[in-house]
Amino acid sequence: MTITKLAAGNWKMNGTSKHLSEAKTLAAMHPASSVEVLLCPPATLLASMARIVLGSAVQLGGQDCHAKAKGAHTGDIAAEMLFDAGAGYVILGHSERRADHGETSADVAAKVEAAWDSGLVAIVCLGETEAQRDADETLAVIGAQLAQSLPAGANAENTVIAYEPVWAIGTGRTPSEAQIAEVHAFLREHAPDAGVRLLYGGSVNPDNAASIFAIANVDGALVGGASLKAADFTRIISALESSSPG
Ligand code: PEP
């Protein structure tokens, strides 16, 4: 089975119009690619970024959506709005949303359905806390999150899974290669479809990307801090391209 690898950048709550130049640089550096390249900026930048990356390999995604299609939900954003602004993907269940907004896996599953209904591919994030890893609960936690966050109907076309250990996000710490390999093998075995892409996320940077992409069942990365600068993100994309023949 051929899996098209994916380098996804999550800008989180960073970026105003002056940062569009980074997307412009990234698009210029990647008119085409053997992997998929994705930027998920704040929703406020999506429409203008869509004009900038048009015709390049760079695709766009949102960072969250509401489970409902529309209505009285002040401050929230519907999946259709993201699609309308130029997104093809949406990150759901990021640990920062699970922690900051109390999102449960059931909430995430409802959002995934909403994303699919609007034609978005859902990038569903899973990951253990440091206490859970120390207690040897990692695979149990990941298994439960996987089972509860993915609705029936998840497949390689509509869903990407991102393994993001909570303790590795934004900390500069990464799991050992064996730890990543163990979780990704588990995800490959339990994913709803053999072709579902499995991303690793958590302190990926230009220096560690190649060794992470060499791990079995790692089909790309979800990258936070190192996706903010085109010069850094492009080195991660190049490492993924090198790991991905054709
Ligand atoms: C993330 O936000 O999903 C992430 C992995 O962040 P960082 O790369 O900064 O650790």
Side-chain angles (χ1 to χ4, degrees), residues 81-179:
M81 296 168 183
L82 297 174
F83 184 86
D84 183 55
Y89 286 79
V90 61
I91 298 168
L92 294 172
H94 192 284
S95 64
E96 287 154 12
R97 294 215 52 95
R98 290 179 190 257
D100 294 355
H101 300 273
E103 282 187 13
T104 64
S105 291
D107 296 330
V108 175
K111 291 177 178 213
V112 171
E113 300 253 25
W116 293 347
D117 287 347
S118 291
L120 298 177
V121 178
I123 300 177
V124 178
C125 301
L126 318 167
E128 82 285 3
T129 63
E130 187 158 31
Q132 289 165 335
R133 177 160 283 281
D134 290 346
D136 245 344
E137 294 169 359
T138 299
L139 294 185
V141 168
I142 301 287
Q145 288 178 339
L146 183 68
Q148 293 160 20
S149 304
L150 290 193
N155 61 41
E157 277 71 50
N158 62 21
T159 302
V160 174
I161 296 169
Y163 167 51
E164 297 211 307
V166 177
W167 53 273
I169 295 178
T171 60
R173 298 167 59 203
T174 52
S176 68
E177 292 179 15
Q179 287 171 329

Side-chain angles (χ1 to χ4, degrees), residues 6-11 22 26 29-30 36-40 58-59 204-206 209 213 221-240:
L6 172 62
N10 173 15
W11 279 19
E22 295 296 332
L26 193 73
M29 290 166 122
H30 299 281
E36 282 195 63
V37 179
L38 178 68
L39 279 183
C40 300
V58 180
Q59 303 177 69
V204 176
N205 63 46
F213 296 149
L222 181 54
V223 183
S227 72
L228 290 169
K229 293 274 175 229
D232 293 334
F233 195 33
T234 203
R235 288 176 59 201
I236 294 170
I237 295 164
S238 297
L240 189 61

Side-chain angles (χ1 to χ4, degrees), residues 15-33:
T16 57
S17 51
K18 65 175 182 272
H19 299 100
L20 289 170
S21 59
E22 295 296 332
K24 194 171 182 180
T25 304
L26 193 73
M29 290 166 122
H30 299 281
S33 176

Side-chain angles (χ1 to χ4, degrees), residues 208-224:
N208 64 18
S211 56
I212 290 171
F213 296 149
I215 299 170
N217 298 307
V218 173
D219 304 317
L222 181 54
V223 183

